[in-house]
Amino acid sequence: MEQPRQRIELKGGAIDNFLKGFTSEATKESYFKKLRQFLEFVNMEPDQYLEKVKQDRKFAEHTIIDYAEQRKKEKVSGSTIRQVRDALKHFFEMNDIDDGINWRKVAKTMPRARKVGSDRAPTIEEVRYMLENADLRMKCIILLAASSGIRLGAIPSLRWGDVEPVMKEGKVVAARIRVYRGEPEEYISFIMPECYEVLQDYMKRRQEIGELIRPDSPLIRDAWDSNTYRRQRKDPTIAMPLSAKAIANEMGLFLKKIGLRKAGSYEFKQVHGFRKFFKTNAERAMKTIDVEKLMGHAENYYKPPVDYLLDEYLKAVPHLTISEAEYLKNEMEKRIAASDMKIGELEREGLALQQKLEKIEKEYEELKRLLMN
């Protein structure tokens, strides 16, 4: 019987180097856990393992392959094993071991990642069904992701000061959001009016329990009314940002609860699917390069003005609107505007005909006068 593995303390110079170079806290947390799993498998401290690899690169290959083979026997998913491999690559790179390891050989021992979600985006009917069954916080998450294409890992860093309504003719037509504020990856995107409205309702709910909403308050916070929260006797007026992992877990449980996710194969990825929903629908009215810019991964030499991106985003609003009532309202406003335009054209045509008739009558009277003379 296999003995329980000793818990390894992840500290020392090798770990200090390993923790550098991450742009996402979620990725850092995930890699940290995967590295711990591997080091517990080999039962070595980080600096001890690194020193052994410096002396013998083949030692790294053998231990990684042994780990993969053992995990395959334990029916661990291929994607999890590959994540451990990726964490180790980062560990070696940040500690100046970038040669001598045959990664192609290692790759051949890696199991294939099981595909659990297709590449399709959820349909607008599916997203509407989600909103009908979601609580207020989950509605905010769904609408944020679907109307801006924001990454899951960016949501925890959003603050109320990062959201600014855009007004035209006295009404909110969109809201500007600043993603990854203060980071090298910072960029501007937009959310739909329906998303901004739900966020305002969410803010009011939080204010009702005594939370003071400031510009630096987390946009999406922990659930103050959960049983776990009550047992821990936390102060509900102190908001903590909801982590990317918690968002993913809660989204998965929610989709299972409402029947849109079943064990085994999934129709679409639980959070990333909303990013695909945004891209698919926005491109019906926008250029791909502008959609990519709003999703935060357009190439660096393309720097369109924010006002231009807003105008382009507003063209996509009809295709991104999820609420059926909001969609019908927008359609009615468009038809009224078209009718007003048509009436205006008819009125202008009538005025032109009237002026033409008056001119003809004037010429006729002038002709009569000349004939009589």
PDB file of all heavy atoms in Angstrom, residues 120-123 126-127 130-131 138 141-150 251 254-255 268-281 295 320 322:
ATOM      1  N   ARG A 120     -18.077  25.517 -29.588  1.00  0.00           N
ATOM      2  CA  ARG A 120     -19.182  26.417 -29.900  1.00  0.00           C
ATOM      3  C   ARG A 120     -19.473  27.367 -28.742  1.00  0.00           C
ATOM      4  O   ARG A 120     -19.155  27.082 -27.580  1.00  0.00           O
ATOM      5  CB  ARG A 120     -20.441  25.618 -30.265  1.00  0.00           C
ATOM      6  CG  ARG A 120     -21.244  25.097 -29.078  1.00  0.00           C
ATOM      7  CD  ARG A 120     -22.607  24.601 -29.553  1.00  0.00           C
ATOM      8  NE  ARG A 120     -23.411  24.035 -28.495  1.00  0.00           N
ATOM      9  CZ  ARG A 120     -24.231  24.743 -27.724  1.00  0.00           C
ATOM     10  NH1 ARG A 120     -24.279  26.059 -27.850  1.00  0.00           N
ATOM     11  NH2 ARG A 120     -24.967  24.145 -26.789  1.00  0.00           N
ATOM     12  N   ALA A 121     -20.070  28.491 -29.079  1.00  0.00           N
ATOM     13  CA  ALA A 121     -20.517  29.434 -28.055  1.00  0.00           C
ATOM     14  C   ALA A 121     -21.941  29.068 -27.641  1.00  0.00           C
ATOM     15  O   ALA A 121     -22.687  28.463 -28.420  1.00  0.00           O
ATOM     16  CB  ALA A 121     -20.498  30.849 -28.627  1.00  0.00           C
ATOM     17  N   PRO A 122     -22.349  29.404 -26.411  1.00  0.00           N
ATOM     18  CA  PRO A 122     -23.751  29.176 -26.042  1.00  0.00           C
ATOM     19  C   PRO A 122     -24.657  30.034 -26.914  1.00  0.00           C
ATOM     20  O   PRO A 122     -24.276  31.135 -27.332  1.00  0.00           O
ATOM     21  CB  PRO A 122     -23.805  29.618 -24.575  1.00  0.00           C
ATOM     22  CG  PRO A 122     -22.629  30.510 -24.379  1.00  0.00           C
ATOM     23  CD  PRO A 122     -21.582  30.021 -25.323  1.00  0.00           C
ATOM     24  N   THR A 123     -25.843  29.541 -27.215  1.00  0.00           N
ATOM     25  CA  THR A 123     -26.794  30.306 -28.014  1.00  0.00           C
ATOM     26  C   THR A 123     -27.420  31.400 -27.155  1.00  0.00           C
ATOM     27  O   THR A 123     -27.368  31.350 -25.922  1.00  0.00           O
ATOM     28  CB  THR A 123     -27.912  29.405 -28.553  1.00  0.00           C
ATOM     29  OG1 THR A 123     -28.683  28.900 -27.435  1.00  0.00           O
ATOM     30  CG2 THR A 123     -27.336  28.241 -29.354  1.00  0.00           C
ATOM     31  N   GLU A 126     -29.878  29.968 -24.786  1.00  0.00           N
ATOM     32  CA  GLU A 126     -29.269  29.337 -23.604  1.00  0.00           C
ATOM     33  C   GLU A 126     -28.844  30.390 -22.585  1.00  0.00           C
ATOM     34  O   GLU A 126     -29.030  30.200 -21.370  1.00  0.00           O
ATOM     35  CB  GLU A 126     -28.070  28.491 -24.037  1.00  0.00           C
ATOM     36  CG  GLU A 126     -28.462  27.196 -24.737  1.00  0.00           C
ATOM     37  CD  GLU A 126     -27.299  26.495 -25.401  1.00  0.00           C
ATOM     38  OE1 GLU A 126     -26.322  27.172 -25.786  1.00  0.00           O
ATOM     39  OE2 GLU A 126     -27.366  25.253 -25.546  1.00  0.00           O
ATOM     40  N   VAL A 127     -28.279  31.494 -23.069  1.00  0.00           N
ATOM     41  CA  VAL A 127     -27.861  32.551 -22.145  1.00  0.00           C
ATOM     42  C   VAL A 127     -29.089  33.186 -21.484  1.00  0.00           C
ATOM     43  O   VAL A 127     -29.067  33.490 -20.283  1.00  0.00           O
ATOM     44  CB  VAL A 127     -27.014  33.619 -22.871  1.00  0.00           C
ATOM     45  CG1 VAL A 127     -26.578  34.710 -21.897  1.00  0.00           C
ATOM     46  CG2 VAL A 127     -25.782  32.992 -23.511  1.00  0.00           C
ATOM     47  N   MET A 130     -30.138  30.951 -18.741  1.00  0.00           N
ATOM     48  CA  MET A 130     -29.262  31.120 -17.574  1.00  0.00           C
ATOM     49  C   MET A 130     -29.707  32.315 -16.749  1.00  0.00           C
ATOM     50  O   MET A 130     -29.814  32.242 -15.516  1.00  0.00           O
ATOM     51  CB  MET A 130     -27.813  31.328 -18.031  1.00  0.00           C
ATOM     52  CG  MET A 130     -27.160  30.139 -18.679  1.00  0.00           C
ATOM     53  SD  MET A 130     -25.478  30.591 -19.220  1.00  0.00           S
ATOM     54  CE  MET A 130     -25.247  29.449 -20.573  1.00  0.00           C
ATOM     55  N   LEU A 131     -29.957  33.441 -17.415  1.00  0.00           N
ATOM     56  CA  LEU A 131     -30.329  34.663 -16.696  1.00  0.00           C
ATOM     57  C   LEU A 131     -31.664  34.505 -15.969  1.00  0.00           C
ATOM     58  O   LEU A 131     -31.861  35.067 -14.890  1.00  0.00           O
ATOM     59  CB  LEU A 131     -30.393  35.847 -17.658  1.00  0.00           C
ATOM     60  CG  LEU A 131     -29.044  36.290 -18.257  1.00  0.00           C
ATOM     61  CD1 LEU A 131     -29.252  37.414 -19.254  1.00  0.00           C
ATOM     62  CD2 LEU A 131     -28.080  36.734 -17.167  1.00  0.00           C
ATOM     63  N   MET A 138     -24.738  36.062 -10.020  1.00  0.00           N
ATOM     64  CA  MET A 138     -24.447  35.237 -11.184  1.00  0.00           C
ATOM     65  C   MET A 138     -24.876  35.948 -12.472  1.00  0.00           C
ATOM     66  O   MET A 138     -24.205  35.840 -13.509  1.00  0.00           O
ATOM     67  CB  MET A 138     -25.138  33.882 -11.071  1.00  0.00           C
ATOM     68  CG  MET A 138     -24.787  32.902 -12.176  1.00  0.00           C
ATOM     69  SD  MET A 138     -23.016  32.554 -12.317  1.00  0.00           S
ATOM     70  CE  MET A 138     -22.768  31.515 -10.878  1.00  0.00           C
ATOM     71  N   ILE A 141     -22.072  38.236 -13.435  1.00  0.00           N
ATOM     72  CA  ILE A 141     -20.936  37.518 -14.021  1.00  0.00           C
ATOM     73  C   ILE A 141     -21.237  37.128 -15.466  1.00  0.00           C
ATOM     74  O   ILE A 141     -20.409  37.313 -16.370  1.00  0.00           O
ATOM     75  CB  ILE A 141     -20.603  36.266 -13.178  1.00  0.00           C
ATOM     76  CG1 ILE A 141     -20.092  36.689 -11.791  1.00  0.00           C
ATOM     77  CG2 ILE A 141     -19.572  35.391 -13.887  1.00  0.00           C
ATOM     78  CD1 ILE A 141     -19.983  35.552 -10.797  1.00  0.00           C
ATOM     79  N   ILE A 142     -22.445  36.589 -15.705  1.00  0.00           N
ATOM     80  CA  ILE A 142     -22.828  36.153 -17.053  1.00  0.00           C
ATOM     81  C   ILE A 142     -22.835  37.336 -18.018  1.00  0.00           C
ATOM     82  O   ILE A 142     -22.267  37.267 -19.119  1.00  0.00           O
ATOM     83  CB  ILE A 142     -24.205  35.468 -17.026  1.00  0.00           C
ATOM     84  CG1 ILE A 142     -24.119  34.133 -16.274  1.00  0.00           C
ATOM     85  CG2 ILE A 142     -24.733  35.242 -18.443  1.00  0.00           C
ATOM     86  CD1 ILE A 142     -25.465  33.510 -15.952  1.00  0.00           C
ATOM     87  N   LEU A 143     -23.467  38.431 -17.611  1.00  0.00           N
ATOM     88  CA  LEU A 143     -23.571  39.589 -18.497  1.00  0.00           C
ATOM     89  C   LEU A 143     -22.221  40.269 -18.715  1.00  0.00           C
ATOM     90  O   LEU A 143     -21.937  40.761 -19.807  1.00  0.00           O
ATOM     91  CB  LEU A 143     -24.592  40.584 -17.937  1.00  0.00           C
ATOM     92  CG  LEU A 143     -26.047  40.137 -18.044  1.00  0.00           C
ATOM     93  CD1 LEU A 143     -26.959  41.060 -17.246  1.00  0.00           C
ATOM     94  CD2 LEU A 143     -26.496  40.098 -19.508  1.00  0.00           C
ATOM     95  N   LEU A 144     -21.383  40.306 -17.670  1.00  0.00           N
ATOM     96  CA  LEU A 144     -20.031  40.857 -17.822  1.00  0.00           C
ATOM     97  C   LEU A 144     -19.261  40.100 -18.892  1.00  0.00           C
ATOM     98  O   LEU A 144     -18.668  40.692 -19.797  1.00  0.00           O
ATOM     99  CB  LEU A 144     -19.276  40.740 -16.498  1.00  0.00           C
ATOM    100  CG  LEU A 144     -19.155  41.964 -15.594  1.00  0.00           C
ATOM    101  CD1 LEU A 144     -18.470  41.572 -14.297  1.00  0.00           C
ATOM    102  CD2 LEU A 144     -18.415  43.089 -16.273  1.00  0.00           C
ATOM    103  N   ALA A 145     -19.281  38.764 -18.783  1.00  0.00           N
ATOM    104  CA  ALA A 145     -18.512  37.928 -19.707  1.00  0.00           C
ATOM    105  C   ALA A 145     -19.085  37.955 -21.114  1.00  0.00           C
ATOM    106  O   ALA A 145     -18.351  38.027 -22.097  1.00  0.00           O
ATOM    107  CB  ALA A 145     -18.460  36.492 -19.179  1.00  0.00           C
ATOM    108  N   ALA A 146     -20.418  37.917 -21.215  1.00  0.00           N
ATOM    109  CA  ALA A 146     -21.056  37.824 -22.532  1.00  0.00           C
ATOM    110  C   ALA A 146     -21.044  39.145 -23.288  1.00  0.00           C
ATOM    111  O   ALA A 146     -21.011  39.149 -24.520  1.00  0.00           O
ATOM    112  CB  ALA A 146     -22.493  37.327 -22.372  1.00  0.00           C
ATOM    113  N   SER A 147     -21.073  40.277 -22.573  1.00  0.00           N
ATOM    114  CA  SER A 147     -21.167  41.554 -23.283  1.00  0.00           C
ATOM    115  C   SER A 147     -19.830  42.250 -23.479  1.00  0.00           C
ATOM    116  O   SER A 147     -19.754  43.262 -24.163  1.00  0.00           O
ATOM    117  CB  SER A 147     -22.134  42.503 -22.559  1.00  0.00           C
ATOM    118  OG  SER A 147     -21.624  42.908 -21.302  1.00  0.00           O
ATOM    119  N   SER A 148     -18.742  41.706 -22.890  1.00  0.00           N
ATOM    120  CA  SER A 148     -17.427  42.326 -23.075  1.00  0.00           C
ATOM    121  C   SER A 148     -16.373  41.336 -23.554  1.00  0.00           C
ATOM    122  O   SER A 148     -15.304  41.750 -24.002  1.00  0.00           O
ATOM    123  CB  SER A 148     -16.944  42.940 -21.757  1.00  0.00           C
ATOM    124  OG  SER A 148     -16.612  41.932 -20.817  1.00  0.00           O
ATOM    125  N   GLY A 149     -16.631  40.017 -23.424  1.00  0.00           N
ATOM    126  CA  GLY A 149     -15.632  39.030 -23.793  1.00  0.00           C
ATOM    127  C   GLY A 149     -14.463  38.981 -22.833  1.00  0.00           C
ATOM    128  O   GLY A 149     -13.396  38.477 -23.165  1.00  0.00           O
ATOM    129  N   ILE A 150     -14.652  39.479 -21.616  1.00  0.00           N
ATOM    130  CA  ILE A 150     -13.576  39.539 -20.627  1.00  0.00           C
ATOM    131  C   ILE A 150     -13.129  38.143 -20.227  1.00  0.00           C
ATOM    132  O   ILE A 150     -13.924  37.206 -20.207  1.00  0.00           O
ATOM    133  CB  ILE A 150     -14.054  40.346 -19.390  1.00  0.00           C
ATOM    134  CG1 ILE A 150     -12.902  40.686 -18.465  1.00  0.00           C
ATOM    135  CG2 ILE A 150     -15.136  39.581 -18.619  1.00  0.00           C
ATOM    136  CD1 ILE A 150     -13.285  41.633 -17.346  1.00  0.00           C
ATOM    137  N   MET A 251     -19.944  28.652 -11.413  1.00  0.00           N
ATOM    138  CA  MET A 251     -20.575  28.585 -12.730  1.00  0.00           C
ATOM    139  C   MET A 251     -20.845  27.131 -13.114  1.00  0.00           C
ATOM    140  O   MET A 251     -21.918  26.805 -13.645  1.00  0.00           O
ATOM    141  CB  MET A 251     -19.679  29.254 -13.770  1.00  0.00           C
ATOM    142  CG  MET A 251     -20.269  29.283 -15.177  1.00  0.00           C
ATOM    143  SD  MET A 251     -21.777  30.301 -15.290  1.00  0.00           S
ATOM    144  CE  MET A 251     -21.062  31.938 -15.157  1.00  0.00           C
ATOM    145  N   PHE A 254     -23.784  25.861 -11.130  1.00  0.00           N
ATOM    146  CA  PHE A 254     -25.011  26.517 -11.606  1.00  0.00           C
ATOM    147  C   PHE A 254     -25.506  25.889 -12.908  1.00  0.00           C
ATOM    148  O   PHE A 254     -26.699  25.582 -13.051  1.00  0.00           O
ATOM    149  CB  PHE A 254     -24.739  28.010 -11.797  1.00  0.00           C
ATOM    150  CG  PHE A 254     -25.822  28.753 -12.535  1.00  0.00           C
ATOM    151  CD1 PHE A 254     -27.068  28.965 -11.959  1.00  0.00           C
ATOM    152  CD2 PHE A 254     -25.604  29.233 -13.823  1.00  0.00           C
ATOM    153  CE1 PHE A 254     -28.069  29.638 -12.645  1.00  0.00           C
ATOM    154  CE2 PHE A 254     -26.589  29.908 -14.514  1.00  0.00           C
ATOM    155  CZ  PHE A 254     -27.829  30.116 -13.915  1.00  0.00           C
ATOM    156  N   LEU A 255     -24.584  25.669 -13.854  1.00  0.00           N
ATOM    157  CA  LEU A 255     -24.980  25.095 -15.143  1.00  0.00           C
ATOM    158  C   LEU A 255     -25.495  23.663 -14.978  1.00  0.00           C
ATOM    159  O   LEU A 255     -26.422  23.243 -15.687  1.00  0.00           O
ATOM    160  CB  LEU A 255     -23.808  25.133 -16.124  1.00  0.00           C
ATOM    161  CG  LEU A 255     -23.359  26.537 -16.566  1.00  0.00           C
ATOM    162  CD1 LEU A 255     -22.145  26.448 -17.478  1.00  0.00           C
ATOM    163  CD2 LEU A 255     -24.484  27.290 -17.259  1.00  0.00           C
ATOM    164  N   PHE A 268     -20.562  23.435 -24.234  1.00  0.00           N
ATOM    165  CA  PHE A 268     -19.681  24.603 -24.340  1.00  0.00           C
ATOM    166  C   PHE A 268     -18.952  24.770 -23.010  1.00  0.00           C
ATOM    167  O   PHE A 268     -19.396  24.273 -21.973  1.00  0.00           O
ATOM    168  CB  PHE A 268     -20.469  25.883 -24.664  1.00  0.00           C
ATOM    169  CG  PHE A 268     -21.652  26.113 -23.760  1.00  0.00           C
ATOM    170  CD1 PHE A 268     -21.503  26.720 -22.518  1.00  0.00           C
ATOM    171  CD2 PHE A 268     -22.918  25.711 -24.144  1.00  0.00           C
ATOM    172  CE1 PHE A 268     -22.585  26.915 -21.682  1.00  0.00           C
ATOM    173  CE2 PHE A 268     -24.010  25.910 -23.312  1.00  0.00           C
ATOM    174  CZ  PHE A 268     -23.846  26.521 -22.083  1.00  0.00           C
ATOM    175  N   LYS A 269     -17.821  25.444 -23.038  1.00  0.00           N
ATOM    176  CA  LYS A 269     -17.024  25.634 -21.831  1.00  0.00           C
ATOM    177  C   LYS A 269     -17.737  26.602 -20.894  1.00  0.00           C
ATOM    178  O   LYS A 269     -18.325  27.582 -21.337  1.00  0.00           O
ATOM    179  CB  LYS A 269     -15.631  26.128 -22.197  1.00  0.00           C
ATOM    180  CG  LYS A 269     -14.849  25.070 -22.967  1.00  0.00           C
ATOM    181  CD  LYS A 269     -13.479  25.533 -23.369  1.00  0.00           C
ATOM    182  CE  LYS A 269     -12.754  24.437 -24.146  1.00  0.00           C
ATOM    183  NZ  LYS A 269     -11.447  24.860 -24.647  1.00  0.00           N
ATOM    184  N   GLN A 270     -17.647  26.309 -19.594  1.00  0.00           N
ATOM    185  CA  GLN A 270     -18.517  26.965 -18.635  1.00  0.00           C
ATOM    186  C   GLN A 270     -18.328  28.473 -18.533  1.00  0.00           C
ATOM    187  O   GLN A 270     -19.292  29.203 -18.330  1.00  0.00           O
ATOM    188  CB  GLN A 270     -18.372  26.325 -17.256  1.00  0.00           C
ATOM    189  CG  GLN A 270     -16.980  26.364 -16.681  1.00  0.00           C
ATOM    190  CD  GLN A 270     -16.882  25.543 -15.407  1.00  0.00           C
ATOM    191  OE1 GLN A 270     -17.663  24.634 -15.184  1.00  0.00           O
ATOM    192  NE2 GLN A 270     -15.916  25.866 -14.567  1.00  0.00           N
ATOM    193  N   VAL A 271     -17.103  28.988 -18.655  1.00  0.00           N
ATOM    194  CA  VAL A 271     -16.892  30.438 -18.602  1.00  0.00           C
ATOM    195  C   VAL A 271     -16.345  30.951 -19.923  1.00  0.00           C
ATOM    196  O   VAL A 271     -16.805  31.965 -20.443  1.00  0.00           O
ATOM    197  CB  VAL A 271     -15.945  30.816 -17.441  1.00  0.00           C
ATOM    198  CG1 VAL A 271     -15.711  32.319 -17.424  1.00  0.00           C
ATOM    199  CG2 VAL A 271     -16.528  30.371 -16.100  1.00  0.00           C
ATOM    200  N   HIS A 272     -15.379  30.232 -20.496  1.00  0.00           N
ATOM    201  CA  HIS A 272     -14.772  30.675 -21.753  1.00  0.00           C
ATOM    202  C   HIS A 272     -15.807  30.720 -22.882  1.00  0.00           C
ATOM    203  O   HIS A 272     -15.626  31.450 -23.859  1.00  0.00           O
ATOM    204  CB  HIS A 272     -13.620  29.744 -22.137  1.00  0.00           C
ATOM    205  CG  HIS A 272     -12.741  30.291 -23.205  1.00  0.00           C
ATOM    206  ND1 HIS A 272     -11.908  31.366 -23.006  1.00  0.00           N
ATOM    207  CD2 HIS A 272     -12.576  29.918 -24.498  1.00  0.00           C
ATOM    208  CE1 HIS A 272     -11.264  31.627 -24.124  1.00  0.00           C
ATOM    209  NE2 HIS A 272     -11.648  30.771 -25.041  1.00  0.00           N
ATOM    210  N   GLY A 273     -16.884  29.969 -22.745  1.00  0.00           N
ATOM    211  CA  GLY A 273     -17.937  29.987 -23.760  1.00  0.00           C
ATOM    212  C   GLY A 273     -18.538  31.363 -23.949  1.00  0.00           C
ATOM    213  O   GLY A 273     -18.938  31.732 -25.059  1.00  0.00           O
ATOM    214  N   PHE A 274     -18.591  32.173 -22.877  1.00  0.00           N
ATOM    215  CA  PHE A 274     -19.145  33.528 -22.995  1.00  0.00           C
ATOM    216  C   PHE A 274     -18.218  34.422 -23.807  1.00  0.00           C
ATOM    217  O   PHE A 274     -18.666  35.326 -24.498  1.00  0.00           O
ATOM    218  CB  PHE A 274     -19.366  34.138 -21.608  1.00  0.00           C
ATOM    219  CG  PHE A 274     -20.389  33.406 -20.794  1.00  0.00           C
ATOM    220  CD1 PHE A 274     -20.032  32.743 -19.636  1.00  0.00           C
ATOM    221  CD2 PHE A 274     -21.714  33.363 -21.189  1.00  0.00           C
ATOM    222  CE1 PHE A 274     -20.966  32.063 -18.885  1.00  0.00           C
ATOM    223  CE2 PHE A 274     -22.661  32.679 -20.450  1.00  0.00           C
ATOM    224  CZ  PHE A 274     -22.290  32.026 -19.286  1.00  0.00           C
ATOM    225  N   ARG A 275     -16.923  34.169 -23.707  1.00  0.00           N
ATOM    226  CA  ARG A 275     -15.947  34.918 -24.525  1.00  0.00           C
ATOM    227  C   ARG A 275     -16.176  34.626 -25.997  1.00  0.00           C
ATOM    228  O   ARG A 275     -16.118  35.516 -26.841  1.00  0.00           O
ATOM    229  CB  ARG A 275     -14.541  34.495 -24.080  1.00  0.00           C
ATOM    230  CG  ARG A 275     -13.414  35.404 -24.519  1.00  0.00           C
ATOM    231  CD  ARG A 275     -12.215  35.134 -23.624  1.00  0.00           C
ATOM    232  NE  ARG A 275     -10.952  35.558 -24.209  1.00  0.00           N
ATOM    233  CZ  ARG A 275     -10.467  36.798 -24.177  1.00  0.00           C
ATOM    234  NH1 ARG A 275     -11.176  37.765 -23.616  1.00  0.00           N
ATOM    235  NH2 ARG A 275      -9.308  37.081 -24.699  1.00  0.00           N
ATOM    236  N   LYS A 276     -16.478  33.367 -26.304  1.00  0.00           N
ATOM    237  CA  LYS A 276     -16.786  32.989 -27.683  1.00  0.00           C
ATOM    238  C   LYS A 276     -18.127  33.574 -28.123  1.00  0.00           C
ATOM    239  O   LYS A 276     -18.303  33.947 -29.283  1.00  0.00           O
ATOM    240  CB  LYS A 276     -16.802  31.470 -27.805  1.00  0.00           C
ATOM    241  CG  LYS A 276     -15.431  30.835 -27.637  1.00  0.00           C
ATOM    242  CD  LYS A 276     -15.493  29.327 -27.720  1.00  0.00           C
ATOM    243  CE  LYS A 276     -14.103  28.735 -27.538  1.00  0.00           C
ATOM    244  NZ  LYS A 276     -14.113  27.267 -27.511  1.00  0.00           N
ATOM    245  N   PHE A 277     -19.074  33.646 -27.170  1.00  0.00           N
ATOM    246  CA  PHE A 277     -20.373  34.257 -27.472  1.00  0.00           C
ATOM    247  C   PHE A 277     -20.169  35.709 -27.902  1.00  0.00           C
ATOM    248  O   PHE A 277     -20.743  36.169 -28.893  1.00  0.00           O
ATOM    249  CB  PHE A 277     -21.267  34.196 -26.236  1.00  0.00           C
ATOM    250  CG  PHE A 277     -22.578  34.930 -26.376  1.00  0.00           C
ATOM    251  CD1 PHE A 277     -23.697  34.284 -26.885  1.00  0.00           C
ATOM    252  CD2 PHE A 277     -22.690  36.262 -26.002  1.00  0.00           C
ATOM    253  CE1 PHE A 277     -24.911  34.968 -27.024  1.00  0.00           C
ATOM    254  CE2 PHE A 277     -23.891  36.945 -26.142  1.00  0.00           C
ATOM    255  CZ  PHE A 277     -25.004  36.293 -26.655  1.00  0.00           C
ATOM    256  N   PHE A 278     -19.333  36.433 -27.147  1.00  0.00           N
ATOM    257  CA  PHE A 278     -19.066  37.834 -27.474  1.00  0.00           C
ATOM    258  C   PHE A 278     -18.428  37.962 -28.850  1.00  0.00           C
ATOM    259  O   PHE A 278     -18.877  38.752 -29.687  1.00  0.00           O
ATOM    260  CB  PHE A 278     -18.152  38.457 -26.417  1.00  0.00           C
ATOM    261  CG  PHE A 278     -17.678  39.835 -26.775  1.00  0.00           C
ATOM    262  CD1 PHE A 278     -18.509  40.925 -26.634  1.00  0.00           C
ATOM    263  CD2 PHE A 278     -16.395  40.036 -27.275  1.00  0.00           C
ATOM    264  CE1 PHE A 278     -18.077  42.204 -26.981  1.00  0.00           C
ATOM    265  CE2 PHE A 278     -15.958  41.295 -27.626  1.00  0.00           C
ATOM    266  CZ  PHE A 278     -16.800  42.388 -27.477  1.00  0.00           C
ATOM    267  N   LYS A 279     -17.387  37.193 -29.098  1.00  0.00           N
ATOM    268  CA  LYS A 279     -16.662  37.293 -30.371  1.00  0.00           C
ATOM    269  C   LYS A 279     -17.573  36.941 -31.543  1.00  0.00           C
ATOM    270  O   LYS A 279     -17.611  37.655 -32.555  1.00  0.00           O
ATOM    271  CB  LYS A 279     -15.445  36.365 -30.344  1.00  0.00           C
ATOM    272  CG  LYS A 279     -14.616  36.378 -31.626  1.00  0.00           C
ATOM    273  CD  LYS A 279     -13.370  35.538 -31.469  1.00  0.00           C
ATOM    274  CE  LYS A 279     -12.631  35.370 -32.800  1.00  0.00           C
ATOM    275  NZ  LYS A 279     -12.140  36.649 -33.342  1.00  0.00           N
ATOM    276  N   THR A 280     -18.328  35.854 -31.403  1.00  0.00           N
ATOM    277  CA  THR A 280     -19.202  35.399 -32.491  1.00  0.00           C
ATOM    278  C   THR A 280     -20.232  36.444 -32.856  1.00  0.00           C
ATOM    279  O   THR A 280     -20.464  36.724 -34.043  1.00  0.00           O
ATOM    280  CB  THR A 280     -19.917  34.090 -32.079  1.00  0.00           C
ATOM    281  OG1 THR A 280     -18.939  33.103 -31.771  1.00  0.00           O
ATOM    282  CG2 THR A 280     -20.814  33.586 -33.196  1.00  0.00           C
ATOM    283  N   ASN A 281     -20.861  37.051 -31.846  1.00  0.00           N
ATOM    284  CA  ASN A 281     -21.943  38.000 -32.118  1.00  0.00           C
ATOM    285  C   ASN A 281     -21.438  39.402 -32.449  1.00  0.00           C
ATOM    286  O   ASN A 281     -22.044  40.085 -33.273  1.00  0.00           O
ATOM    287  CB  ASN A 281     -22.898  38.037 -30.929  1.00  0.00           C
ATOM    288  CG  ASN A 281     -23.722  36.770 -30.820  1.00  0.00           C
ATOM    289  OD1 ASN A 281     -24.675  36.570 -31.566  1.00  0.00           O
ATOM    290  ND2 ASN A 281     -23.352  35.883 -29.909  1.00  0.00           N
ATOM    291  N   MET A 295     -11.265  42.460 -26.703  1.00  0.00           N
ATOM    292  CA  MET A 295     -11.055  41.239 -25.913  1.00  0.00           C
ATOM    293  C   MET A 295      -9.665  41.210 -25.279  1.00  0.00           C
ATOM    294  O   MET A 295      -9.337  40.291 -24.540  1.00  0.00           O
ATOM    295  CB  MET A 295     -11.246  40.010 -26.805  1.00  0.00           C
ATOM    296  CG  MET A 295     -12.674  39.844 -27.298  1.00  0.00           C
ATOM    297  SD  MET A 295     -12.856  38.465 -28.453  1.00  0.00           S
ATOM    298  CE  MET A 295     -12.681  37.062 -27.344  1.00  0.00           C
ATOM    299  N   LEU A 320     -25.653  41.702 -29.414  1.00  0.00           N
ATOM    300  CA  LEU A 320     -25.180  41.282 -28.093  1.00  0.00           C
ATOM    301  C   LEU A 320     -26.267  41.368 -27.025  1.00  0.00           C
ATOM    302  O   LEU A 320     -26.079  40.869 -25.922  1.00  0.00           O
ATOM    303  CB  LEU A 320     -23.984  42.139 -27.665  1.00  0.00           C
ATOM    304  CG  LEU A 320     -22.694  41.944 -28.465  1.00  0.00           C
ATOM    305  CD1 LEU A 320     -21.678  43.033 -28.114  1.00  0.00           C
ATOM    306  CD2 LEU A 320     -22.089  40.577 -28.208  1.00  0.00           C
ATOM    307  N   ILE A 322     -29.121  40.455 -24.818  1.00  0.00           N
ATOM    308  CA  ILE A 322     -29.585  39.132 -24.413  1.00  0.00           C
ATOM    309  C   ILE A 322     -31.036  39.139 -23.958  1.00  0.00           C
ATOM    310  O   ILE A 322     -31.828  38.305 -24.372  1.00  0.00           O
ATOM    311  CB  ILE A 322     -28.670  38.577 -23.292  1.00  0.00           C
ATOM    312  CG1 ILE A 322     -27.250  38.401 -23.849  1.00  0.00           C
ATOM    313  CG2 ILE A 322     -29.207  37.252 -22.757  1.00  0.00           C
ATOM    314  CD1 ILE A 322     -26.205  38.184 -22.802  1.00  0.00           C
TER     315      ILE A 322
END
